[in-house]
Amino acid sequence: MSEGGGASFEGLVTSVSKDIRSRVILDEWLRTGIARIDEEGRVCLNTEPLVKKSDFDEKAYYIGQNLHDHLSAASHNLNGQQPPLLESSIHSNKLTAESIAELDALARNWACRCWMR
């Protein structure tokens, strides 16, 4: 599982937790559809199962709550301001400024990423 060296799935899991083996996580991710193995044997993240499916009313509520943020991010990006902002949202009432910065960095590094098995 460590064919990819530092960019391996095993390396990724080990960097987060030493309490659980990477194979256990991989098997669970494959079972639940969170990940898939591509033609080159890489572990690829499938974000669709991670996004909660909700009804129209709930989606409308959240877009109403976040419309300003979406427009602000889009405007920022269209004007070429740096760093570019991710135009997406999550909902949590327990995030600190530090955890938001960490999530931002992780999202930027994980988008469309595959790891060697």
Side-chain angles (χ1 to χ4, degrees):
M1 260 208 225
S2 58
E3 295 170 10
S8 71
F9 184 76
E10 183 175 5
L12 170 70
V13 173
T14 303
S15 74
V16 175
S17 173
K18 307 258 189 284
D19 295 332
I20 189 164
R21 295 195 178 269
S22 59
R23 186 69 217 197
V24 173
I25 291 177
L26 178 58
D27 288 344
E28 181 63 9
W29 282 15
L30 292 172
R31 185 188 70 77
T32 59
I34 291 173
R36 65 178 174 78
I37 306 295
D38 72 4
E39 310 78 38
E40 297 176 31
R42 297 178 299 182
V43 178
C44 297
L45 185 64
N46 177 15
T47 57
E48 191 170 319
L50 300 174
V51 178
K52 180 182 174 218
K53 307 247 186 307
S54 55
D55 63 21
F56 179 82
D57 290 339
E58 186 176 6
K59 289 176 185 175
Y61 170 79
Y62 278 105
I63 194 67
Q65 295 296 308
N66 297 301
L67 190 56
H68 173 270
D69 294 337
H70 286 291
L71 289 174
S72 179
S75 174
H76 174 94
N77 293 341
L78 287 171
N79 288 323
Q81 296 177 8
Q82 295 296 320
L85 300 175
L86 294 171
E87 189 186 345
S88 61
S89 66
I90 60 171
H91 176 76
S92 177
N93 58 2
K94 297 184 181 185
L95 294 175
T96 65
E98 294 80 20
S99 62
I100 291 169
E102 185 176 350
L103 286 169
D104 179 67
L106 287 170
R108 290 176 191 281
N109 289 329
W110 281 37
C112 301
R113 183 150 185 195
C114 293
W115 299 274
M116 295 303 295
R117 280 182 39 189

